[in-house]
Amino acid sequence: MDYCKNIIAKFISSMQKRPGLLAVLAFLSGVASFALVDRKESFSQFIALFLLISWLWLIIDNWLRDKVEEKFGVAVSPNVMRFALQMVQQESLFFALPFFLAVTQWDHTQAIFTSLIALCAVISVIDPFYYKKLARNRTLFSVFHNFALFVVLLVTLPILLNLTTSQSLAAALVTAVVVTLPSLNNLMPNARWWRFPILVLILCALSTAVWQLRSYVPPAALRLTDITLAHEVDLQHKKPVGSIKQLDSYTLHHQGLYSWTAVKAPRGLNEKIFHVWLHNKKEVDRITLNINGGRELGYRAWTHKVNFPKDSVGKWQVKVVTESGQLIGLTKFTVTP
């Protein structure tokens, strides 16, 4: 028992001296999982399950420490718990980061969400700021804790349960609040009783705000590998014929346009997406598509639009969005007189 205790103590000591090492390992595991998730490899599922179990361990920490001390006579220092808490948050943020970096449209408002994940990941590594600034502000630290869990759930739920993007977003918001609540006792030891209901209200309000601003959240499980506008589609090879960025109004009305897309998604995932056509930033049409995940080149599908407004001159966009309004990707074209 003393030998195991020494090994654990040495591991914690080495990780505390090299906080960046754990961040690098977490980021690499995220990259590996992102590369393997399309094939539903067991590694990506194992990492996802490990992260969720580590969050569950945080909830039962007090009970677990009491049981270990009762059975083996080993008292676990609260400092170990504090470091474990930081380690799980760090692992979660750096694991999820590659997924969001790969799908974010940087000229869209969802870049704000991904930048926030990157900022929180960096904060989790900088010990002086993490412990002296963040950890001492109990409300802010609880929100940080909740956000780290929410982010990792957005990635792991589609991998483990094949939930759609909309289902994953709703489940992650509810689960993050429910799982964070039992952790508040560890996050806020000896806090006054009125802090808990206030924190619950804050977390619920933030979850509601995220749902209202869900278009800011990139769909971590979906990635647009190609989007092309064309007058024709090769049905045999399922490829567009040519690519159009500009055309005149006469050609648009007489030939219409195909919007051809290839979307990568985890194997076994069935998702409903939409091609949203916008003219001078105003939505004029929304066409439904159903995709199936697991195809190496992405699920290839297209819609054909022939009904255009009489006055079609101007700037157009075709957005690919989920049921919950999260942007997967877009393309632009211009119609001339």
Side-chain angles (χ1 to χ4, degrees), residues 203-256:
L203 294 176
C204 291
L206 286 174
S207 297
T208 303
V210 170
W211 180 256
Q212 294 299 320
L213 298 173
R214 54 191 178 275
S215 62
Y216 284 56
V217 182
L222 300 176
R223 179 162 59 96
L224 188 70
T225 58
D226 196 6
I227 179 168
T228 304
L229 298 172
H231 289 309
E232 296 180 46
V233 170
D234 183 342
L235 298 178
Q236 182 177 358
H237 298 95
K238 296 182 179 180
K239 290 184 176 181
V241 179
S243 177
I244 294 173
K245 291 295 182 182
Q246 182 173 309
L247 72 164
D248 60 75
S249 181
Y250 178 84
T251 305
L252 179 70
H253 284 92
H254 284 78
Q255 295 189 37

Short mmCIF file of all heavy atoms in Angstrom, two decimals, residues 203-256:
data_model
loop_
_atom_site.label_atom_id
_atom_site.label_comp_id
_atom_site.label_asym_id
_atom_site.label_seq_id
_atom_site.Cartn_x
_atom_site.Cartn_y
_atom_site.Cartn_z
N LEU A 203 -26.31 28.89 -13.30
CA LEU A 203 -26.03 27.82 -14.26
C LEU A 203 -27.21 27.56 -15.18
O LEU A 203 -27.04 27.35 -16.39
CB LEU A 203 -25.65 26.53 -13.51
CG LEU A 203 -24.34 26.56 -12.72
CD1 LEU A 203 -24.14 25.25 -11.97
CD2 LEU A 203 -23.16 26.82 -13.65
N CYS A 204 -28.44 27.59 -14.62
CA CYS A 204 -29.64 27.40 -15.44
C CYS A 204 -29.82 28.56 -16.43
O CYS A 204 -30.19 28.35 -17.59
CB CYS A 204 -30.87 27.27 -14.55
SG CYS A 204 -30.93 25.74 -13.59
N ALA A 205 -29.54 29.78 -15.97
CA ALA A 205 -29.66 30.95 -16.84
C ALA A 205 -28.65 30.88 -17.97
O ALA A 205 -28.97 31.19 -19.13
CB ALA A 205 -29.48 32.22 -16.03
N LEU A 206 -27.42 30.47 -17.65
CA LEU A 206 -26.39 30.35 -18.69
C LEU A 206 -26.75 29.27 -19.70
O LEU A 206 -26.52 29.44 -20.90
CB LEU A 206 -25.04 30.04 -18.04
CG LEU A 206 -24.37 31.21 -17.31
CD1 LEU A 206 -23.12 30.72 -16.58
CD2 LEU A 206 -23.99 32.31 -18.29
N SER A 207 -27.31 28.16 -19.22
CA SER A 207 -27.73 27.08 -20.13
C SER A 207 -28.83 27.56 -21.08
O SER A 207 -28.81 27.25 -22.27
CB SER A 207 -28.21 25.87 -19.33
OG SER A 207 -27.16 25.33 -18.55
N THR A 208 -29.77 28.32 -20.53
CA THR A 208 -30.84 28.87 -21.36
C THR A 208 -30.27 29.83 -22.41
O THR A 208 -30.69 29.82 -23.58
CB THR A 208 -31.88 29.60 -20.49
OG1 THR A 208 -32.39 28.69 -19.51
CG2 THR A 208 -33.03 30.13 -21.34
N ALA A 209 -29.31 30.65 -21.99
CA ALA A 209 -28.68 31.60 -22.91
C ALA A 209 -27.93 30.88 -24.03
O ALA A 209 -28.00 31.28 -25.20
CB ALA A 209 -27.74 32.52 -22.14
N VAL A 210 -27.22 29.80 -23.68
CA VAL A 210 -26.50 29.03 -24.70
C VAL A 210 -27.47 28.41 -25.69
O VAL A 210 -27.21 28.40 -26.90
CB VAL A 210 -25.64 27.93 -24.03
CG1 VAL A 210 -25.07 26.98 -25.08
CG2 VAL A 210 -24.50 28.55 -23.24
N TRP A 211 -28.61 27.92 -25.20
CA TRP A 211 -29.60 27.33 -26.11
C TRP A 211 -30.16 28.40 -27.06
O TRP A 211 -30.36 28.14 -28.25
CB TRP A 211 -30.73 26.68 -25.33
CG TRP A 211 -31.77 26.07 -26.22
CD1 TRP A 211 -33.01 26.56 -26.52
CD2 TRP A 211 -31.65 24.86 -26.97
NE1 TRP A 211 -33.67 25.73 -27.39
CE2 TRP A 211 -32.85 24.68 -27.69
CE3 TRP A 211 -30.63 23.91 -27.10
CZ2 TRP A 211 -33.07 23.59 -28.52
CZ3 TRP A 211 -30.85 22.82 -27.94
CH2 TRP A 211 -32.05 22.68 -28.63
N GLN A 212 -30.40 29.58 -26.55
CA GLN A 212 -30.90 30.67 -27.39
C GLN A 212 -29.84 31.11 -28.42
O GLN A 212 -30.19 31.55 -29.52
CB GLN A 212 -31.31 31.87 -26.53
CG GLN A 212 -32.51 31.61 -25.63
CD GLN A 212 -33.77 31.25 -26.40
OE1 GLN A 212 -34.05 31.81 -27.45
NE2 GLN A 212 -34.54 30.30 -25.88
N LEU A 213 -28.56 30.98 -28.04
CA LEU A 213 -27.47 31.38 -28.93
C LEU A 213 -26.77 30.15 -29.52
O LEU A 213 -25.57 30.16 -29.76
CB LEU A 213 -26.45 32.22 -28.15
CG LEU A 213 -26.97 33.54 -27.57
CD1 LEU A 213 -25.91 34.19 -26.69
CD2 LEU A 213 -27.38 34.51 -28.69
N ARG A 214 -27.52 29.08 -29.74
CA ARG A 214 -26.92 27.81 -30.18
C ARG A 214 -26.26 27.90 -31.56
O ARG A 214 -25.43 27.07 -31.90
CB ARG A 214 -27.96 26.70 -30.16
CG ARG A 214 -29.23 26.97 -30.95
CD ARG A 214 -30.29 25.90 -30.64
NE ARG A 214 -31.55 26.14 -31.32
CZ ARG A 214 -32.51 26.93 -30.87
NH1 ARG A 214 -32.34 27.57 -29.70
NH2 ARG A 214 -33.64 27.10 -31.53
N SER A 215 -26.63 28.91 -32.35
CA SER A 215 -25.97 29.07 -33.65
C SER A 215 -24.50 29.44 -33.47
O SER A 215 -23.70 29.30 -34.40
CB SER A 215 -26.68 30.14 -34.48
OG SER A 215 -26.63 31.41 -33.83
N TYR A 216 -24.12 29.91 -32.26
CA TYR A 216 -22.73 30.23 -31.97
C TYR A 216 -21.90 28.97 -31.70
O TYR A 216 -20.68 29.04 -31.70
CB TYR A 216 -22.63 31.13 -30.73
CG TYR A 216 -23.00 32.58 -30.95
CD1 TYR A 216 -24.24 32.94 -31.47
CD2 TYR A 216 -22.13 33.60 -30.60
CE1 TYR A 216 -24.59 34.27 -31.65
CE2 TYR A 216 -22.46 34.94 -30.78
CZ TYR A 216 -23.70 35.26 -31.31
OH TYR A 216 -24.03 36.58 -31.49
N VAL A 217 -22.57 27.84 -31.43
CA VAL A 217 -21.87 26.61 -31.03
C VAL A 217 -21.62 25.74 -32.26
O VAL A 217 -22.56 25.28 -32.90
CB VAL A 217 -22.71 25.81 -30.01
CG1 VAL A 217 -21.96 24.56 -29.57
CG2 VAL A 217 -23.05 26.69 -28.80
N PRO A 218 -20.36 25.50 -32.63
CA PRO A 218 -20.07 24.65 -33.79
C PRO A 218 -20.52 23.21 -33.53
O PRO A 218 -20.41 22.73 -32.40
CB PRO A 218 -18.54 24.72 -33.91
CG PRO A 218 -18.13 25.91 -33.12
CD PRO A 218 -19.13 26.05 -32.02
N PRO A 219 -21.03 22.51 -34.54
CA PRO A 219 -21.43 21.11 -34.36
C PRO A 219 -20.20 20.21 -34.37
O PRO A 219 -19.68 19.86 -35.43
CB PRO A 219 -22.34 20.85 -35.58
CG PRO A 219 -21.85 21.81 -36.61
CD PRO A 219 -21.32 23.01 -35.89
N ALA A 220 -19.73 19.83 -33.20
CA ALA A 220 -18.45 19.11 -33.07
C ALA A 220 -18.44 17.78 -33.83
O ALA A 220 -17.38 17.33 -34.26
CB ALA A 220 -18.14 18.87 -31.60
N ALA A 221 -19.60 17.15 -34.00
CA ALA A 221 -19.65 15.83 -34.62
C ALA A 221 -19.76 15.88 -36.14
O ALA A 221 -19.60 14.85 -36.80
CB ALA A 221 -20.83 15.03 -34.06
N LEU A 222 -20.02 17.05 -36.69
CA LEU A 222 -20.22 17.16 -38.14
C LEU A 222 -19.16 18.06 -38.76
O LEU A 222 -18.78 19.07 -38.18
CB LEU A 222 -21.61 17.74 -38.44
CG LEU A 222 -22.81 16.95 -37.93
CD1 LEU A 222 -24.10 17.72 -38.21
CD2 LEU A 222 -22.88 15.57 -38.56
N ARG A 223 -18.73 17.69 -39.97
CA ARG A 223 -17.72 18.51 -40.66
C ARG A 223 -18.03 18.53 -42.14
O ARG A 223 -18.20 17.49 -42.78
CB ARG A 223 -16.32 17.96 -40.42
CG ARG A 223 -15.23 18.74 -41.11
CD ARG A 223 -13.87 18.44 -40.50
NE ARG A 223 -13.54 17.02 -40.56
CZ ARG A 223 -12.78 16.48 -41.52
NH1 ARG A 223 -12.30 17.24 -42.49
NH2 ARG A 223 -12.51 15.20 -41.52
N LEU A 224 -18.12 19.72 -42.69
CA LEU A 224 -18.38 19.88 -44.12
C LEU A 224 -17.06 19.76 -44.87
O LEU A 224 -16.16 20.58 -44.69
CB LEU A 224 -19.01 21.25 -44.39
CG LEU A 224 -19.52 21.49 -45.82
CD1 LEU A 224 -20.75 20.65 -46.10
CD2 LEU A 224 -19.84 22.96 -46.02
N THR A 225 -16.92 18.71 -45.70
CA THR A 225 -15.68 18.51 -46.44
C THR A 225 -15.72 19.17 -47.81
O THR A 225 -14.67 19.43 -48.40
CB THR A 225 -15.38 17.01 -46.60
OG1 THR A 225 -16.48 16.38 -47.27
CG2 THR A 225 -15.18 16.35 -45.25
N ASP A 226 -16.93 19.44 -48.31
CA ASP A 226 -17.02 20.11 -49.61
C ASP A 226 -18.43 20.67 -49.81
O ASP A 226 -19.41 20.08 -49.33
CB ASP A 226 -16.70 19.13 -50.74
CG ASP A 226 -16.40 19.84 -52.06
OD1 ASP A 226 -16.33 21.09 -52.07
OD2 ASP A 226 -16.24 19.14 -53.08
N ILE A 227 -18.51 21.80 -50.47
CA ILE A 227 -19.78 22.36 -50.89
C ILE A 227 -19.56 23.06 -52.22
O ILE A 227 -18.64 23.88 -52.35
CB ILE A 227 -20.37 23.32 -49.83
CG1 ILE A 227 -21.70 23.91 -50.33
CG2 ILE A 227 -19.39 24.42 -49.45
CD1 ILE A 227 -22.49 24.63 -49.26
N THR A 228 -20.36 22.70 -53.22
CA THR A 228 -20.18 23.22 -54.57
C THR A 228 -21.53 23.57 -55.18
O THR A 228 -22.51 22.84 -54.99
CB THR A 228 -19.48 22.16 -55.47
OG1 THR A 228 -18.25 21.77 -54.86
CG2 THR A 228 -19.21 22.71 -56.86
N LEU A 229 -21.57 24.66 -55.92
CA LEU A 229 -22.76 25.06 -56.67
C LEU A 229 -22.52 24.76 -58.14
O LEU A 229 -21.45 25.08 -58.68
CB LEU A 229 -23.04 26.55 -56.47
CG LEU A 229 -23.34 26.98 -55.03
CD1 LEU A 229 -23.39 28.50 -54.94
CD2 LEU A 229 -24.66 26.39 -54.55
N ALA A 230 -23.51 24.14 -58.80
CA ALA A 230 -23.35 23.76 -60.20
C ALA A 230 -24.71 23.70 -60.88
O ALA A 230 -25.76 23.65 -60.22
CB ALA A 230 -22.65 22.41 -60.31
N HIS A 231 -24.68 23.69 -62.22
CA HIS A 231 -25.92 23.55 -62.99
C HIS A 231 -26.30 22.09 -63.18
O HIS A 231 -27.45 21.77 -63.45
CB HIS A 231 -25.78 24.22 -64.36
CG HIS A 231 -25.74 25.71 -64.31
ND1 HIS A 231 -26.69 26.46 -63.64
CD2 HIS A 231 -24.87 26.60 -64.84
CE1 HIS A 231 -26.41 27.75 -63.77
NE2 HIS A 231 -25.31 27.86 -64.48
N GLU A 232 -25.31 21.18 -63.02
CA GLU A 232 -25.56 19.75 -63.22
C GLU A 232 -24.84 18.93 -62.16
O GLU A 232 -23.85 19.37 -61.59
CB GLU A 232 -25.06 19.30 -64.60
CG GLU A 232 -25.77 19.94 -65.78
CD GLU A 232 -25.20 19.42 -67.10
OE1 GLU A 232 -25.02 18.19 -67.22
OE2 GLU A 232 -24.93 20.25 -67.99
N VAL A 233 -25.37 17.70 -61.96
CA VAL A 233 -24.73 16.73 -61.06
C VAL A 233 -24.59 15.41 -61.80
O VAL A 233 -25.55 14.94 -62.43
CB VAL A 233 -25.54 16.52 -59.76
CG1 VAL A 233 -25.00 15.34 -58.97
CG2 VAL A 233 -25.51 17.77 -58.90
N ASP A 234 -23.40 14.84 -61.77
CA ASP A 234 -23.15 13.52 -62.36
C ASP A 234 -23.74 12.48 -61.42
O ASP A 234 -23.17 12.16 -60.38
CB ASP A 234 -21.64 13.31 -62.53
CG ASP A 234 -21.31 11.98 -63.22
OD1 ASP A 234 -22.19 11.10 -63.26
OD2 ASP A 234 -20.17 11.84 -63.70
N LEU A 235 -24.92 11.95 -61.77
CA LEU A 235 -25.63 11.03 -60.88
C LEU A 235 -24.89 9.72 -60.69
O LEU A 235 -24.97 9.11 -59.62
CB LEU A 235 -27.03 10.75 -61.44
CG LEU A 235 -27.96 11.97 -61.56
CD1 LEU A 235 -29.30 11.56 -62.16
CD2 LEU A 235 -28.18 12.62 -60.20
N GLN A 236 -24.16 9.27 -61.70
CA GLN A 236 -23.45 7.99 -61.59
C GLN A 236 -22.32 8.08 -60.57
O GLN A 236 -22.14 7.19 -59.74
CB GLN A 236 -22.89 7.59 -62.96
CG GLN A 236 -22.17 6.24 -62.93
CD GLN A 236 -21.68 5.83 -64.30
OE1 GLN A 236 -21.91 6.53 -65.29
NE2 GLN A 236 -21.00 4.70 -64.38
N HIS A 237 -21.55 9.16 -60.61
CA HIS A 237 -20.42 9.32 -59.70
C HIS A 237 -20.74 10.23 -58.51
O HIS A 237 -19.89 10.45 -57.63
CB HIS A 237 -19.22 9.89 -60.45
CG HIS A 237 -18.73 9.00 -61.55
ND1 HIS A 237 -19.12 9.16 -62.87
CD2 HIS A 237 -17.90 7.93 -61.52
CE1 HIS A 237 -18.53 8.24 -63.61
NE2 HIS A 237 -17.79 7.46 -62.82
N LYS A 238 -21.95 10.74 -58.49
CA LYS A 238 -22.41 11.62 -57.40
C LYS A 238 -21.46 12.79 -57.19
O LYS A 238 -21.01 13.07 -56.08
CB LYS A 238 -22.58 10.82 -56.10
CG LYS A 238 -23.65 9.75 -56.18
CD LYS A 238 -23.83 9.03 -54.86
CE LYS A 238 -24.93 7.98 -54.96
NZ LYS A 238 -25.12 7.25 -53.69
N LYS A 239 -21.14 13.46 -58.30
CA LYS A 239 -20.25 14.61 -58.25
C LYS A 239 -20.85 15.77 -59.03
O LYS A 239 -21.55 15.56 -60.02
CB LYS A 239 -18.87 14.26 -58.85
CG LYS A 239 -18.05 13.31 -58.00
CD LYS A 239 -16.68 13.11 -58.63
CE LYS A 239 -15.79 12.23 -57.74
NZ LYS A 239 -14.44 12.05 -58.32
N PRO A 240 -20.57 17.00 -58.61
CA PRO A 240 -21.06 18.15 -59.37
C PRO A 240 -20.26 18.33 -60.66
O PRO A 240 -19.08 17.95 -60.72
CB PRO A 240 -20.83 19.32 -58.41
CG PRO A 240 -19.68 18.90 -57.57
CD PRO A 240 -19.81 17.41 -57.41
N VAL A 241 -20.90 18.89 -61.66
CA VAL A 241 -20.22 19.17 -62.93
C VAL A 241 -19.89 20.67 -62.94
O VAL A 241 -20.77 21.51 -63.15
CB VAL A 241 -21.10 18.79 -64.14
CG1 VAL A 241 -20.37 19.12 -65.44
CG2 VAL A 241 -21.48 17.32 -64.07
N GLY A 242 -18.63 21.01 -62.70
CA GLY A 242 -18.22 22.40 -62.66
C GLY A 242 -18.46 23.02 -61.29
O GLY A 242 -18.92 22.36 -60.35
N SER A 243 -18.15 24.30 -61.21
CA SER A 243 -18.35 25.06 -59.98
C SER A 243 -18.68 26.50 -60.32
O SER A 243 -18.03 27.10 -61.18
CB SER A 243 -17.07 25.01 -59.13
OG SER A 243 -17.20 25.79 -57.96
N ILE A 244 -19.69 27.04 -59.66
CA ILE A 244 -20.19 28.37 -60.00
C ILE A 244 -20.04 29.30 -58.81
O ILE A 244 -20.44 28.98 -57.69
CB ILE A 244 -21.66 28.30 -60.44
CG1 ILE A 244 -21.78 27.53 -61.76
CG2 ILE A 244 -22.26 29.70 -60.59
CD1 ILE A 244 -23.19 27.26 -62.19
N LYS A 245 -19.45 30.46 -59.05
CA LYS A 245 -19.34 31.51 -58.04
C LYS A 245 -20.08 32.78 -58.49
O LYS A 245 -20.42 33.62 -57.67
CB LYS A 245 -17.88 31.85 -57.76
CG LYS A 245 -17.12 30.75 -57.04
CD LYS A 245 -17.67 30.51 -55.64
CE LYS A 245 -16.89 29.45 -54.90
NZ LYS A 245 -17.46 29.19 -53.54
N GLN A 246 -20.33 32.88 -59.81
CA GLN A 246 -21.04 34.04 -60.34
C GLN A 246 -21.80 33.64 -61.60
O GLN A 246 -21.29 32.86 -62.41
CB GLN A 246 -20.04 35.17 -60.65
CG GLN A 246 -20.71 36.44 -61.18
CD GLN A 246 -19.72 37.58 -61.32
OE1 GLN A 246 -18.97 37.88 -60.38
NE2 GLN A 246 -19.70 38.23 -62.48
N LEU A 247 -23.02 34.14 -61.74
CA LEU A 247 -23.82 33.88 -62.92
C LEU A 247 -24.82 35.02 -63.10
O LEU A 247 -25.03 35.82 -62.19
CB LEU A 247 -24.54 32.54 -62.83
CG LEU A 247 -25.71 32.40 -61.86
CD1 LEU A 247 -26.51 31.15 -62.20
CD2 LEU A 247 -25.27 32.35 -60.41
N ASP A 248 -25.44 35.06 -64.30
CA ASP A 248 -26.39 36.14 -64.55
C ASP A 248 -27.80 35.70 -64.21
O ASP A 248 -28.09 34.51 -64.07
CB ASP A 248 -26.31 36.61 -66.00
CG ASP A 248 -26.61 35.49 -66.98
OD1 ASP A 248 -27.80 35.13 -67.13
OD2 ASP A 248 -25.65 34.96 -67.60
N SER A 249 -28.69 36.65 -64.09
CA SER A 249 -30.06 36.39 -63.66
C SER A 249 -30.81 35.48 -64.63
O SER A 249 -31.58 34.61 -64.21
CB SER A 249 -30.80 37.71 -63.49
OG SER A 249 -32.12 37.50 -63.04
N TYR A 250 -30.59 35.66 -65.93
CA TYR A 250 -31.28 34.85 -66.94
C TYR A 250 -30.92 33.36 -66.77
O TYR A 250 -31.80 32.50 -66.75
CB TYR A 250 -30.91 35.33 -68.34
CG TYR A 250 -31.54 34.52 -69.45
CD1 TYR A 250 -32.83 34.78 -69.89
CD2 TYR A 250 -30.83 33.45 -70.03
CE1 TYR A 250 -33.41 34.02 -70.89
CE2 TYR A 250 -31.40 32.67 -71.03
CZ TYR A 250 -32.69 32.97 -71.46
OH TYR A 250 -33.26 32.20 -72.44
N THR A 251 -29.62 33.07 -66.65
CA THR A 251 -29.17 31.68 -66.49
C THR A 251 -29.71 31.08 -65.20
O THR A 251 -30.11 29.91 -65.17
CB THR A 251 -27.63 31.63 -66.50
OG1 THR A 251 -27.14 32.25 -67.68
CG2 THR A 251 -27.14 30.19 -66.44
N LEU A 252 -29.71 31.86 -64.14
CA LEU A 252 -30.21 31.37 -62.85
C LEU A 252 -31.66 30.92 -62.96
O LEU A 252 -32.02 29.84 -62.47
CB LEU A 252 -30.07 32.47 -61.79
CG LEU A 252 -30.56 32.12 -60.39
CD1 LEU A 252 -29.64 31.11 -59.74
CD2 LEU A 252 -30.65 33.37 -59.52
N HIS A 253 -32.51 31.74 -63.58
CA HIS A 253 -33.94 31.42 -63.66
C HIS A 253 -34.24 30.28 -64.63
O HIS A 253 -35.21 29.55 -64.45
CB HIS A 253 -34.73 32.67 -64.07
CG HIS A 253 -34.92 33.66 -62.97
ND1 HIS A 253 -34.06 34.70 -62.74
CD2 HIS A 253 -35.86 33.74 -61.99
CE1 HIS A 253 -34.48 35.40 -61.69
NE2 HIS A 253 -35.56 34.83 -61.22
N HIS A 254 -33.42 30.11 -65.66
CA HIS A 254 -33.71 29.08 -66.66
C HIS A 254 -33.03 27.74 -66.37
O HIS A 254 -33.51 26.70 -66.84
CB HIS A 254 -33.29 29.58 -68.05
CG HIS A 254 -34.24 30.57 -68.63
ND1 HIS A 254 -34.27 31.89 -68.24
CD2 HIS A 254 -35.23 30.43 -69.55
CE1 HIS A 254 -35.22 32.53 -68.91
NE2 HIS A 254 -35.82 31.68 -69.72
N GLN A 255 -31.94 27.74 -65.61
CA GLN A 255 -31.26 26.47 -65.32
C GLN A 255 -31.30 26.09 -63.85
O GLN A 255 -31.14 24.92 -63.51
CB GLN A 255 -29.80 26.56 -65.79
CG GLN A 255 -29.62 26.71 -67.29
CD GLN A 255 -28.18 26.57 -67.72
OE1 GLN A 255 -27.44 25.75 -67.16
NE2 GLN A 255 -27.75 27.34 -68.70
N GLY A 256 -31.51 27.06 -62.99
CA GLY A 256 -31.50 26.77 -61.56
C GLY A 256 -30.10 26.43 -61.08
O GLY A 256 -29.12 26.54 -61.82
#
